[in-house]
Amino acid sequence: MAGAKNHDYHILPPSIWPLMGSMSALALAVGAVMWMHEYAGGGGLFFLGVAGVLATMFFWWSDVIREAHAGDHTPVVQLHLRYGMILFIASEVMFFVGWFWAFFDFSLFPSALAPIKGLFPSEGIEVMNAFELPLLNTLILLCSGTTVTWAHHALIHGDRDGLKKGLLATIILGALFSAIQAYEYAHAPFEFGGTPYSSGFYMATGFHGFHVLVGTIFLIVCYIRAVRGDFTPRQHFGFEAAAWYWHFVDVVWLFLFVAVYVWGGWGAPVHGG
């Protein structure tokens, strides 16, 4: 029969969201540059782009959820969704490689940085004690990795109560991490910029903090969907993607804790020490 579906793939209908998303991202980027250079209308264009990106994310992912409920996510489609998530996380890994590269370049070759007299951290910089709040946040993220794994195993075994409890515990731990990091920034002994150490520190840990915030929102959406009964043991890619992302955030933090907090400040005066 003409038009009959005889394959396992899902052919998407025409959608406005790819165009909407690309145009919004362009407005966001151009608006940010204009705003930083103090051009008129830059801030308004930036926030318009942000609103467009958020709307695209909401409506496009809503379409994906409806496709899942309609049975369009066959095993082949789910496999390719997983491939897409793996590639996205790989791109995020390379994003953080750039920050680590910069931090190690500053620290291993300080003689090339004339303003700091060949010292790293710079002369007069007091670093944070890695074994106070940073260590506490490390333990919090490690615990959150355990709770999200608990939620995943509960879902696979049909334990919806365990799924919701594990997700809620992970969300609380993620929010606690963000609150502690905000407190740490507010009481940091050095400001953003001015020295390679402070710039590298805030860029690396700040972007990680942003990823924790995104991951927490991701898990909140999964919790809402879990309460609605969306996930099943056989079909739960949305939750699986959130769990992968959260484990990625955990692993990156372990590298940040060791490289930036412990090794990066080794031998420097400790604030309050």
Side-chain angles (χ1 to χ4, degrees):
M1 177 185 294
K5 182 177 178 180
N6 55 3
H7 54 78
D8 291 330
Y9 296 92
H10 173 48
I11 307 301
L12 294 170
S15 174
I16 189 63
W17 303 123
L19 177 62
M20 177 73 174
S22 60
M23 296 300 293
S24 298
L26 177 63
L28 185 154
V30 173
V33 172
M34 291 175 60
W35 192 12
M36 286 186 284
H37 287 82
E38 300 182 354
Y39 284 104
L45 182 60
F46 171 78
F47 285 110
L48 181 63
V50 170
V53 169
L54 293 176
T56 300
M57 294 164 66
F58 178 82
F59 290 110
W60 200 346
W61 284 333
S62 296
D63 290 344
V64 174
I65 292 172
R66 280 193 289 271
E67 292 165 7
H69 289 321
D72 294 325
H73 289 179
T74 64
V76 171
V77 173
Q78 291 185 51
L79 177 63
H80 292 167
L81 288 171
R82 287 180 172 86
Y83 286 160
M85 190 64 191
I86 289 170
L87 290 173
F88 170 71
I89 291 177
S91 72
E92 292 283 273
V93 169
M94 298 311 297
F95 178 84
F96 278 99
V97 164
W99 296 126
F100 280 110
W101 189 309
F103 190 82
F104 282 121
D105 185 52
F106 292 157
S107 57
L108 294 174
F109 305 101
S111 59
L113 303 169
I116 65 172
K117 303 177 182 178
L119 298 175
F120 189 89
S122 309
E123 187 176 8
I125 285 284
E126 290 186 342
V127 300
M128 298 179 187
N129 190 337
F131 300 102
E132 291 182 349
L133 291 180
L135 178 60
L136 175 61
N137 259 352
T138 302
L139 297 175
I140 288 171
L141 273 191
L142 289 175
C143 288
S144 72
T146 302
T147 55
V148 79
T149 301
W150 166 34
H152 194 186
H153 281 272
L155 173 57
I156 292 172
H157 292 92
D159 179 8
R160 304 199 68 82
D161 186 58
L163 165 64
K164 289 182 281 188
K165 288 180 179 177
L167 271 172
L168 187 58
T170 309
I171 292 165
I172 292 171
L173 289 170
L176 181 59
F177 176 94
S178 297
I180 291 174
Q181 188 173 44
Y183 177 87
E184 179 185 72
Y185 279 9
H187 295 81
F190 47 84
E191 298 178 352
F192 178 80
T195 68
Y197 176 81
S198 59
S199 297
F201 174 88
Y202 280 114
M203 292 303 290
T205 60
F207 269 97
H208 175 269
F210 173 74
H211 281 73
V212 171
L213 181 62
V214 171
T216 303
I217 295 171
F218 203 169
L219 291 169
I220 290 172
V221 173
C222 287
Y223 178 77
I224 294 171
R225 294 188 63 196
V227 171
R228 290 170 47 186
D230 282 2
F231 301 124
T232 68
R234 292 178 59 85
Q235 187 167 323
H236 54 267
F237 170 73
F239 170 80
E240 200 169 15
W244 288 358
Y245 188 84
W246 196 254
H247 287 309
F248 156 74
V249 167
D250 288 352
V251 172
V252 169
W253 176 258
L254 292 177
F255 281 99
L256 283 171
F257 175 71
V258 173
V260 176
Y261 283 98
V262 179
W263 180 83
W266 196 270
V270 177
H271 179 64

